[in-house]
Amino acid sequence: MESIVTRDAIQQGKVTDVYFERTRQILESRNIHKTVTAEFVAKSFPDNYEWAVFAGLDEVMELLRELPVEMEAVPEGTLFHPNEPVLTITGDYLDFGVYETAILGYLCQASGIATKAARVRKAAGDRPVVSFGARRMHPAIAPVVERNAYIGGCDGVATVAAAEYLGQEPVGTIPHALVLLMGDTVEATKAFDEIIDTSVNRISLIDTYSDEKFESLRVADALGDSLFGIRLDTPGSRRGNMIQIMEEVRWELDIRGFKDVKLFLSGGLDEYSVHRYNSYADAYGVGTSVSAAPVIDFSMDIVDIEGEPVAKRGKPSGRKSLWRCDDGFEYRTTPRIPAAEAPPCSTCDKQMKLLLETVQTDGELLREIPVHDEVHQYVRNQLERVELALEK
């Protein structure tokens, strides 16, 4: 049996927890067809994050696009908070209930990756951040991982397939393998410079054999103005004080006239270490912390049956509206009310805007599938409005 589930298999409802399949059998045998509204909410975030990034809507829209349901959602890439409804589906439960497992899988992982990438992006400020994390996940989902790292705030991705999916050029430097096979850091970097297209920045990996300071100087002397940057990927067992290492490398390069050579840092980075290293690092490659990010723990709960508010214990019943003021950046969840009755923002007193809007009705998409670049920029714009607490 093939271990990779195809999109067709997901569409056929095969990726579902068995109790949903049994529920379908029972409801059909009793001829029970009821219109329900199901709501997707995360009650809490990992590590007490202040906010998260909503992602995965693109795949949910593809999955449900031909079903006779109404779907409401916030725009993909929207920053949100615990207990705020970001997606609702209204229709005959038998038409979409079997997809609960798949929908949650799409949203939970995508939002987790995008959120972690956004936190790293916020910590890095204006410094470039590249996603190096695909190697930590199953290769079949590399484009999914890298896509959500990109929309969350990474500037580029490393794998060829993911870059093609995003319509970009893949980003990378040189691996330790090249240095080992060439036998010398300088020889490997010179070969890269001679053979690889000049549109690719010359960034030398300088920690394979020798001290970072001396290797940096050897490479800088050999390549001169062709050298764009050096990458430090020093293993933890040899790392010591990374800030001191970068400080020393920067000092030695600067006093020898190599002030334009950038310091690119990679290896075990997250938002906390990035924040610490900003004083010397010019760019980052982030891997496991983003690709293996903790999921945003969404749940799907019925909140309305046949127009009557109803919900399980601990869950507010009834359809809801989610609002945001773009000036005060204040959010509010209310019982479902028309846009014309929008509540005022408590910060600026302006009317708030409806975030949760209809994206599909009766098998017809009313909103285009989100475009990667547009979502990326939407997230970047919102990050300017929020803070990031980095105390651990």
Side-chain angles (χ1 to χ4, degrees):
M1 179 179 176
E2 177 61 55
S3 63
I4 304 300
V5 177
T6 65
R7 185 177 291 274
D8 286 344
I10 298 172
Q11 198 81 46
Q12 292 164 17
K14 292 183 178 180
V15 182
T16 188
D17 292 295
V18 69
Y19 65 179
F20 294 126
E21 175 59 23
R22 291 167 182 162
T23 297
R24 181 192 64 78
Q25 294 177 33
I26 294 167
L27 294 176
E28 287 182 341
S29 69
R30 294 291 190 266
N31 196 29
I32 296 175
H33 291 269
K34 292 188 177 181
T35 297
V36 308
T37 295
E39 179 177 272
F40 292 79
V41 169
K43 294 181 180 179
S44 62
F45 295 157
D47 299 325
N48 296 314
Y49 292 174
E50 308 94 322
W51 41 263
V53 177
F54 177 61
L57 178 62
D58 60 327
E59 295 194 280
V60 176
M61 291 173 71
E62 288 284 3
L63 178 64
L64 304 183
R65 65 186 306 162
E66 296 181 359
L67 296 185
V69 299
E70 177 187 273
M71 179 164 53
E72 295 181 337
V74 302
E76 182 148 37
T78 295
L79 271 60
F80 69 102
H81 308 93
N83 297 309
E84 292 175 345
V86 293
L87 174 70
T88 66
I89 302 171
T90 300
D92 187 330
Y93 180 81
L94 284 172
D95 286 331
F96 70 90
V98 73
Y99 295 121
E100 177 174 341
T101 304
I103 295 170
L104 288 172
Y106 285 146
L107 298 180
C108 293
Q109 185 178 37
S111 298
I113 293 169
T115 298
K116 194 68 168 182
R119 290 175 61 83
V120 173
R121 157 53 52 214
K122 183 72 176 176
D126 295 331
R127 299 163 187 82
V129 177
V130 179
S131 174
F132 282 176
R135 66 182 59 190
R136 305 301 181 212
M137 306 300 290
H138 194 291
I141 63 169
V144 173
V145 171
E146 300 267 63
R147 183 257 184 191
N148 289 295
Y150 173 66
I151 68 170
C154 289
D155 298 283
V157 301
T159 61
V160 175
E164 289 177 352
Y165 175 62
L166 293 170
Q168 301 177 353
E169 290 295 322
V171 181
T173 59
I174 62 176
H176 290 103
L178 179 62
V179 179
L180 291 168
L181 291 167
M182 297 290 294
D184 179 75
T185 301
V186 171
E187 291 306 311
T189 307
K190 287 169 63 178
F192 187 100
D193 186 43
E194 293 167 5
I195 296 168
I196 302 302
D197 189 276
T198 56
S199 63
V200 179
N201 287 331
R202 274 53 181 152
I203 301 175
S204 179
L205 180 59
I206 51 82
D207 54 24
T208 305
Y209 284 118
S210 303
D211 180 85
E212 294 88 350
K213 175 177 72 173
F214 295 110
E215 289 291 77
S216 296
L217 295 178
R218 288 182 65 229
V219 168
D221 284 333
L223 264 73
D225 292 339
S226 296
L227 184 65
F228 180 82
I230 56 107
R231 176 161 74 97
L232 296 96
D233 192 57
T234 306
S237 62
R238 302 293 181 89
R239 181 161 287 195
N241 187 318
M242 197 64 208
I243 292 178
Q244 288 185 355
I245 292 174
M246 287 191 293
E247 181 181 28
E248 187 175 351
V249 170
R250 182 76 276 163
W251 175 276
E252 298 298 337
L253 287 171
D254 287 354
I255 64 172
R256 288 166 174 79
F258 299 113
K259 293 183 178 182
D260 291 334
V261 173
K262 309 298 183 186
L263 302 190
F264 191 106
L265 190 62
S266 61
L269 301 178
D270 60 13
E271 65 268 44
Y272 302 98
S273 54
V274 162
H275 181 68
R276 291 195 303 271
Y277 296 147
N278 278 339
S279 54
Y280 288 102
D282 297 299
Y284 298 100
V286 292
T288 306
S289 69
V290 170
S291 62
V295 301
I296 302 300
D297 195 6
F298 287 106
S299 62
M300 184 186 102
D301 295 293
I302 292 174
V303 295
D304 184 285
I305 299 178
E306 297 291 341
E308 294 295 324
V310 61
K312 68 181 185 182
R313 289 194 307 167
K315 179 75 180 181
S317 62
R319 302 185 69 174
K320 302 171 186 70
S321 298
L322 178 61
W323 310 86
R324 184 173 73 187
C325 174
D326 288 340
D327 289 341
F329 218 64
E330 176 182 314
Y331 291 68
R332 193 175 306 170
T333 302
T334 67
R336 188 176 178 84
I337 55 177
E341 299 177 18
C345 173
S346 64
T347 303
C348 67
D349 207 37
K350 292 183 179 179
Q351 267 199 329
M352 305 180 85
K353 294 181 180 179
L354 193 62
L355 270 180
L356 199 61
E357 294 186 317
T358 304
V359 297
Q360 175 179 326
T361 182
D362 293 327
E364 179 183 356
L365 291 180
L366 305 180
R367 189 188 295 173
E368 295 293 326
I369 301 291
V371 177
H372 317 307
D373 292 339
E374 293 176 2
V375 180
H376 171 89
Q377 190 57 52
Y378 177 49
V379 173
R380 294 286 290 262
N381 292 343
Q382 293 171 96
L383 289 178
E384 296 177 2
R385 309 294 305 279
V386 297
E387 298 298 324
L388 180 65
L390 291 171
E391 294 78 18
K392 247 190 164 180

